Each structure stands twice: as C-alpha cells, then as structure tokens.
C-alpha cells in the first residue's frame, strides 16, 4: 500500500522537544522532495519546511526557523522533523508530504505539487 505513516506527536511542555517521523510505504522516498506542514484549529494549512532531493536544500518558515530541523534517511524511507524550544503556538496537526521529482531547491514548490500526504499527527504544547 502506497502511503506515508507519521508518528511522534504528543503533549509537551513549552520549551520541550519532539521528533516527528514519517515513513514511506510502497515507494522510495529518495525520489521525492519532502515537506512538513501544520494546521491549527481555525487556521489554514501552513508549510513549515521542505527538503529537496538533490542539493539537500532546505527552507523553513520564519515561525520555526532556528528551532525546527528537517531531515531524511533515504535508506529507511523516512523523513523527520526535530522540533525544539516548542511554544504553545506550535500546537497543531502536523502533516508530512512528498512530491515526486528531482529538484535542487524546494522554496517555490507549491502545496499542490505534493502528491502524497501523511495522515497527520497531533502536537500539543501546553503546561
């Protein structure tokens, strides 16, 4: 079955850390540009980071820059989002996504270009 399966969400106190994982099943993640998105209640889905296939170029939203790190392990068909210094405003459902094709950069890749999506995992930052 072709899918992305996420894990790692949960409840964490402000200032804490979480690491999200997203494993591809039925396809090789190495051929895909990857991205992480989030959606908070009542808000639009926001792209927070992407990682290209070839040059390993990364992009981060200003809201998470310096706190979140995107990475991938192609041998494990898994992508990660390390989240540090979490804030209550980071509370949201987080989604991983993959877009087929070799790209040096992902900064201008539209959301509509991501063909595969994870089911979402809830991250709640609260004391």
């Amino acid at each position: 079955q072709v899918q992305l399966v996420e894990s790692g969400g949960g409840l964490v106190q402000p200032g804490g850390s979480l690491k999200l994982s997203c494993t591809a099943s039925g396809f090789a993640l190495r051929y895909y540009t990857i991205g992480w998105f989030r959606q908070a209640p009542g808000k639009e889905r926001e792209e927070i980071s992407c990682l290209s296939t070839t040059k390993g170029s990364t992009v981060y939203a200003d809201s998470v820059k310096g706190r979140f790190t995107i990475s991938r392990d192609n041998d494990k068909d898994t992508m990660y989002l390390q989240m540090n210094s979490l804030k209550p405003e980071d509370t949201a459902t987080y989604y991983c996504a993959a877009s087929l094709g070799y790209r040096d950069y992902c900064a201008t890749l539209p959301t509509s270009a991501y063909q595969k999506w994870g089911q979402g995992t809830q991250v709640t930052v609260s004391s």
Side-chain angles (χ1 to χ4, degrees):
Q1 187 174 2
V2 176
Q3 59 181 353
L4 289 169
V5 179
E6 301 184 44
S7 61
L11 173 64
V12 63
Q13 292 187 340
S17 298
L18 279 177
K19 186 173 185 177
L20 305 182
S21 299
C22 176
T23 299
S25 175
F27 66 99
L29 196 62
R30 67 179 67 249
Y31 301 117
Y32 290 73
T33 294
I34 60 175
W36 285 95
F37 297 73
R38 69 185 180 186
Q39 187 167 19
K43 294 188 177 182
E44 293 186 355
R45 186 171 295 189
E46 172 191 19
E47 182 174 8
I48 55 174
S49 186
C50 64
L51 173 59
S52 68
T53 40
T54 51
K55 291 186 178 293
S57 174
T58 58
V59 176
Y60 295 95
D62 289 343
S63 57
V64 305
K65 198 172 296 182
R67 300 187 298 122
F68 290 11
T69 302
I70 189 173
S71 62
R72 65 196 300 161
D73 184 335
N74 288 334
D75 291 335
K76 295 182 179 180
D77 288 323
T78 300
M79 55 196 286
Y80 305 96
L81 185 68
Q82 176 68 47
M83 305 185 294
N84 298 329
S85 302
L86 283 161
K87 306 174 182 180
E89 51 264 43
D90 293 318
T91 296
T93 301
Y94 284 70
Y95 299 89
C96 60
S99 176
L100 180 63
Y102 287 114
R103 296 182 182 87
D104 291 340
Y105 304 99
C106 58
T108 58
L109 192 64
T111 301
S112 59
Y114 288 89
Q115 302 96 352
K116 304 187 189 301
W117 291 83
Q119 80 282 8
T121 186
Q122 179 67 35
V123 172
T124 303
V125 184
S126 175
S127 55

